[in-house]
Amino acid sequence: MNAQAAAERAARQSYGRLLAWLAARGGDLAAAEDALADAFAAALVHWPAAGVPDRPEAWLLTTARRRLLDQHRRRATARAAAPDLLHQASLPPDPPAAFPDHRLALLLACADPAVDPALRAPLMLQAVLGLDAARIGSAFLVAPAAMGQRLVRAKRRLREAGARFALPEPEHVADRLPDVLAAIYAAYAAGAADGGDAGALAEEAEWLARLLAGLAPLQPEALGLAALLLHLQARRAAGRDAAGGYVPLSAQDPRRWDGARQHEAESLLARAARLGAPGRYQWEAAIASAHAARARLGHTPWGEILLIYNALLAATGSPVVAVNRAVALAEVQGAAAGLAALRRAGRDARLAGYQPYWAALAALADRAGEAEAALQARRRAAGLATDPAVRAFLLRPDAGVSR
């Protein structure tokens, strides 16, 4: 493997673990990011000449740690300050093969009360999963430049507040849980929409959701999110045909769904229900569970799905939920009813660049006999699609909509 490919793989597989470790030692997220960026830049200079090290992750950690230590020394010299940070950064490294995973602690630190609530989830996505401002902005319907500026301010607030990058007490875990769950879900959505990363980000989000459910077994929404992502992952492979073409959920072969993941999801969802505190992620997991029932029933129980979407929309007011509810309504009451609901949802300006909205509009307009409106919406959806397979599907005359 050449140096460029090795560095890209290390970034994809280990960025979050390395950054979390450095932040835990140095106490400054922005400084840890700078040190890790320097380490990757150094790798691209040294590895082509010296060869890719046997353990790229350990090499990057050692190099970044030296950069971080240099940063703290300069600050300590200049301001006679930060002796505790200097001490932490200079501690002997953990064995590279077994250095502890601090990602959950980093996620919880990003939910510090000092950080604007609207920026906590985006900050987690960048810190733990390495997403850039453009992808994060897309997930939260915010322009990339504006999101980039907000993230810089959030890291400054985190440093000024003296955030600790260690697992807090259980009562504080519960307080910060909603933001962490939102970030993991957004990461899954970004990964699922990106056909170029072979599912790596979606798998990472699934792993984090499972980890969180294990650490917080009495938090129903943590269980609900894990159940939801397991259900979504269970049918991920069926979303592509043998040639790599996109297959919408309604056309998927249930025999290709991952039964073991679905069983685990159902178990988590049942445990969450017994705790008696329903919420957004449990409802969304219940919708995914209803779709999974097609393998057993031979049809999709759209009536049940619409009822759950009604509750979800009433609880969240989310324009994204409104889009999905309109699609379910079309299945229960007909395309005209679904199209009318979808157009009402489209009055929300945040949906102007939301690709699934235009894809749903194209499909429902087509079914309602509005050919010109369907064509325009389909072109708009294809233009917004980041996955070439989805784009190709949308440009087919017989394209439907993914649910």
Side-chain angles (χ1 to χ4, degrees):
M1 181 179 294
N2 64 41
Q4 178 78 32
E8 288 177 359
R9 188 170 75 171
R12 190 167 55 249
Q13 295 180 344
S14 304
Y15 180 86
R17 285 188 73 202
L18 294 170
L19 184 64
W21 189 94
L22 292 166
R25 287 299 179 97
D28 185 336
L29 179 57
E33 283 182 325
D34 290 344
L36 190 53
D38 284 349
F40 275 104
L44 293 175
V45 171
H46 289 280
W47 291 1
V52 177
D54 292 337
R55 301 166 105 177
E57 185 183 69
W59 191 97
L60 289 163
L61 183 62
T62 300
T63 303
R65 183 172 165 271
R66 287 174 183 154
R67 299 287 197 279
L68 192 62
L69 190 53
D70 287 344
Q71 290 177 20
H72 289 320
R73 280 177 177 147
R74 285 196 296 272
R75 291 177 186 172
T77 300
R79 301 184 306 188
D84 54 331
L85 299 182
L86 191 61
H87 170 71
Q88 286 293 322
S90 63
L91 290 174
D94 299 293
F99 73 86
D101 193 334
H102 292 282
R103 280 178 291 181
L104 187 58
L106 180 55
L107 282 169
L108 292 163
C110 290
D112 190 287
V115 176
D116 180 342
L119 288 179
R120 292 170 190 167
L123 185 59
M124 293 175 206
L125 293 179
Q126 188 175 68
V128 179
L129 297 167
L131 270 63
D132 59 30
R135 291 182 74 185
I136 298 171
S138 175
F140 288 88
L141 308 179
V142 174
M147 180 57 75
Q149 292 170 356
R150 293 176 190 178
L151 288 169
V152 169
R153 289 197 295 271
K155 287 171 205 170
R156 187 164 59 238
R157 288 291 302 135
L158 208 54
R159 184 180 66 245
E160 291 169 353
R164 293 181 65 249
F165 295 90
L167 281 176
E169 297 301 318
E171 62 269 27
H172 297 303
V173 171
D175 290 343
R176 299 182 183 190
L177 198 58
D179 294 312
V180 175
L181 295 175
I184 294 174
Y185 191 23
Y188 185 87
D194 183 356
D197 79 343
L201 182 57
E203 289 178 8
E204 189 79 357
E206 180 198 36
W207 182 87
L208 285 169
R210 271 180 163 144
L211 175 66
L212 198 56
L215 290 172
L218 298 180
Q219 295 293 333
E221 283 293 82
L223 301 176
L225 179 66
L228 172 60
L229 298 197
L230 281 162
H231 263 306
L232 297 179
Q233 278 292 85
R235 65 191 195 215
R236 183 175 173 76
R240 289 289 187 273
D241 61 22
Y246 173 71
V247 181
L249 175 57
S250 58
Q252 290 178 11
D253 182 352
R255 293 172 296 182
R256 294 189 62 202
W257 292 343
D258 184 336
R261 272 194 169 100
Q262 289 177 329
H263 179 76
E264 183 180 354
E266 292 299 320
S267 175
L268 286 166
L269 192 54
R271 283 169 52 194
R274 286 196 290 272
L275 293 171
R280 171 195 173 182
Y281 299 113
Q282 294 171 75
W283 283 323
E284 292 202 35
I287 291 168
S289 174
H291 279 292
R294 177 157 64 90
R296 185 179 70 257
L297 302 174
H299 66 275
T300 302
W302 285 110
E304 294 179 21
I305 290 173
L306 180 58
L307 287 175
I308 303 171
Y309 269 129
N310 288 342
L312 189 56
L313 184 59
T316 67
S318 162
V320 172
V321 173
V323 170
N324 293 329
R325 178 192 171 273
V327 173
L329 183 66
E331 297 295 333
V332 176
Q333 298 184 11
L339 187 59
L342 190 60
R343 283 176 167 150
R344 286 195 295 275
R347 295 171 187 162
D348 190 318
R350 290 174 292 178
L351 293 177
Y354 184 60
Q355 186 270 338
Y357 166 74
W358 293 103
L361 185 61
L364 295 188
D366 200 30
R367 288 169 54 185
E370 298 186 20
E372 182 57 29
L375 178 62
Q376 295 302 321
R378 182 166 294 120
R379 287 174 176 168
R380 182 75 178 269
L384 290 168
T386 57
D387 184 338
V390 173
R391 188 180 306 118
F393 172 82
L394 288 167
L395 292 175
R396 285 170 36 184
D398 60 342
V401 59
S402 174
R403 289 181 285 268

